[in-house]
Amino acid sequence: MSTFTAPKGTYDLLPPSSATFLAIRERIAAPARRAGYGYIETPVFEDVKLFSRGVGESTDIVTKEMFSLTQRGKEELALRPEGTASVLRAALQANLHKLGNLPVKLWYSGSYYRYERPQAGRYRQFSQVGAEAIGAEDPALDAELIILADDAFRSLGLSDYTLLLNSLGDKQCRPVYRAALIEFLAGLDLDEDTRRRAEINPLRVLDDKRESVQAQLTGAPMLRDFLCEECKEYDEKVRELLTANGVAFTDDPKLVRGLDYYTRTTFEFVHNGLGAQSAIGGGGRYDGLSEMIGGPALPSVGWALGVDRTYLALEAEGVVLDLPAATSVYAVALGEEAKNVLFAKVVELRRAGVATDLAFGVKTIKNAMKSADRSGARFALIAGDRDLADGVVQLKDMTTGEQNPVALDALVTTLKEKQL
């Protein structure tokens, strides 16, 4: 056994589970790609101030959870704890907002890092797929992104989840609500850290998961009662579009999510079979984030969906994805001369697009056929000296057990005709 193990709060992604993870990433990204979102990839570490400004000084992410890196004796960098700030930074740096029609539509996939207490569904390195639409203020854009996320989950076969929806208002109406909420929170019995958070961003207290805090929030003023007419109309239009396109949602007036940059539309997908760590994805509108990190005013909206949590959701519902076998054809050579011939045919089949493997280092036909069976291949190719003398290989159907000779020079054509 190795002396080393994976760091606490992380895990190794190995076959066969890794095939499901890849499929989850691909199916989550597919609706966004069809909607014109282009792929973006950013560094895994950024200037720490990007996150302290963008994500928010009052968030647990910034105060407790960021992995900071020391650069020449100074702590200047941090492993990315989320994707939106990095994507917006990259778009601004490349002036994508100046190159053509807005919004700039981008999607991404990668690992993110937070120093959290590890538990089921909560890891210190986790995987997300995200989508961002930068530079447009339009309720139809908010609805589009929510529908794309819903379509992604449904394409995976998930059904036991709920979409929570709220509006956080804008710079016109939220200050009035903020003042009312601060006045309400001042009368509660809160610990020092929570009271300090309430002074910086009181909405974050609504997101506190502790029962001792939630019990005191009964009767707290709700932001929906303070929305200006423009925000109300915007919110109603988002809901109208979702309903018209068959996406059900539940109003959650306390939904603020864990990031400071959200405005107006905010949403979260929660799965009913995951316990405490029930969120499988979420996002919202962040109209002021560009200005927070030194850019121009660029109203934007986006989401991030958790690959790890989605995998657990599939398990909770008993959904098994129908994935193609990693190997379609498995070649078994009886002797060195046969191995040389089959090796060449394996290369030829792979170049023709057929997933093919070869029995390496196997001493007996019995062990080789066991390997062929374990590979999940639909067909096995078997050849010995006698077969080669006749210019054929034996093609065995691993499902029916039927075996027939096939001419070597017709092998690739024969297998392609079987739609491999």
Side-chain angles (χ1 to χ4, degrees):
M1 184 176 178
S2 171
T3 304
F4 301 100
T5 59
K8 185 177 181 181
T10 68
Y11 61 91
D12 298 309
L13 189 55
L14 305 169
S17 300
S18 54
T20 301
F21 270 76
L22 286 173
I24 291 171
R25 290 185 183 127
E26 290 168 0
R27 295 191 193 182
I28 288 177
R33 291 201 304 268
R34 290 195 296 267
Y37 289 71
Y39 182 68
I40 183 172
E41 192 167 312
T42 63
V44 299
F45 52 85
E46 298 268 9
D47 188 319
V48 68
K49 293 188 290 295
L50 173 66
F51 302 118
S52 59
R53 290 181 189 175
V55 176
E57 293 281 6
S58 69
T59 64
D60 288 343
I61 292 173
V62 171
T63 59
K64 302 176 183 178
E65 297 170 3
M66 279 203 302
F67 282 95
S68 58
L69 305 174
T70 301
Q71 185 181 28
R72 295 188 179 180
K74 297 180 180 180
E75 288 191 348
E76 298 177 345
L77 303 175
L79 295 180
R80 59 189 185 191
E82 58 92 47
T84 299
S86 294
V87 169
L88 184 55
R89 187 272 309 154
L92 291 172
Q93 183 177 337
N95 287 314
L96 297 185
H97 58 295
K98 297 180 180 179
L99 299 181
N101 293 334
L102 295 177
V104 177
K105 290 183 171 184
L106 303 168
W107 78 273
Y108 55 93
S109 176
S111 294
Y112 299 86
Y113 308 87
R114 297 182 191 176
Y115 191 82
E116 297 186 291
R117 181 171 61 86
Q119 55 183 288
R122 174 180 281 177
Y123 310 105
R124 290 177 176 174
Q125 176 177 322
F126 54 97
S127 179
Q128 291 183 336
V129 175
E132 314 290 347
I134 299 167
E137 182 182 27
D138 189 333
L141 195 57
D142 300 30
E144 174 185 273
L145 276 154
I146 294 172
I147 291 169
L148 293 177
D150 188 66
D151 286 348
F153 287 135
R154 294 194 180 281
S155 74
L156 288 161
L158 290 176
S159 59
D160 191 20
Y161 63 86
T162 302
L163 168 60
L164 305 178
L165 194 61
N166 193 24
S167 175
L168 298 181
D170 62 9
K171 61 183 179 182
Q172 302 301 323
C173 55
R174 193 152 74 178
V176 180
Y177 171 68
R178 186 179 186 276
L181 184 58
I182 288 176
E183 182 179 354
F184 174 83
L185 295 175
L188 304 185
D189 182 21
L190 302 175
D191 61 83
E192 186 176 341
D193 284 346
T194 306
R195 194 167 296 283
R196 188 181 306 112
R197 183 184 297 121
E199 292 173 358
I200 300 172
N201 186 351
L203 273 72
R204 291 280 292 114
V205 180
L206 299 178
D207 194 42
D208 197 309
K209 299 299 189 291
R210 291 173 296 176
E211 291 183 8
S212 60
V213 175
Q214 285 297 320
Q216 298 184 68
L217 293 177
T218 302
M222 292 291 102
L223 209 160
R224 65 170 56 173
D225 297 324
F226 290 79
L227 293 180
C228 61
E229 287 304 313
E230 188 175 345
C231 283
K232 284 181 182 178
E233 291 177 7
Y234 194 101
D235 187 45
E236 288 170 2
K237 186 60 178 180
V238 173
R239 285 161 161 73
E240 176 186 316
L241 289 168
L242 293 178
T243 301
N245 288 277
V247 177
F249 57 85
T250 298
D251 284 310
D252 185 351
K254 289 185 179 180
L255 179 65
V256 298
R257 294 184 51 75
L259 306 170
D260 281 0
Y261 51 60
Y262 286 123
T263 56
R264 288 193 172 173
T265 307
T266 187
F267 56 91
E268 189 166 271
F269 291 88
V270 294
H271 195 275
N272 302 320
L274 296 187
Q277 303 304 317
S278 60
I280 55 177
R285 176 158 285 280
Y286 48 94
D287 289 346
L289 180 56
S290 177
E291 293 164 281
M292 285 182 189
I293 63 174
L298 285 173
S300 305
V301 61
W303 49 246
L305 309 185
V307 177
D308 319 77
R309 298 272 182 89
T310 300
Y311 182 90
L312 294 175
L314 290 171
E315 285 191 328
E317 290 195 39
V319 176
V320 178
L321 299 184
D322 184 16
L323 303 177
T327 303
S328 297
V329 177
Y330 196 91
V332 175
L334 308 178
E336 283 303 310
E337 183 181 353
K339 188 171 185 179
N340 289 336
V341 173
L342 281 188
F343 186 87
K345 284 298 176 184
V346 166
V347 172
E348 188 179 355
L349 283 165
R350 289 171 178 169
R351 288 172 174 169
V354 179
T356 311
D357 203 355
L358 177 68
F360 293 97
V362 180
K363 303 299 183 183
T364 67
I365 181 66
K366 181 178 180 180
N367 287 338
M369 293 309 296
K370 284 184 178 179
S371 296
D373 189 53
R374 285 193 293 266
S375 75
R378 181 180 167 191
F379 294 101
L381 296 178
I382 308 164
D385 293 343
R386 183 179 300 176
D387 296 306
L388 296 180
D390 294 336
V392 300
V393 294
Q394 300 296 322
L395 182 62
K396 181 176 180 178
D397 188 316
M398 298 298 288
T399 302
T400 65
E402 182 180 354
Q403 182 172 311
N404 295 293
V406 175
L408 268 173
D409 57 6
L411 180 60
V412 174
T413 301
T414 300
L415 287 171
K416 291 287 285 183
E417 288 175 350
K418 295 181 181 295
Q419 298 182 340
L420 293 181

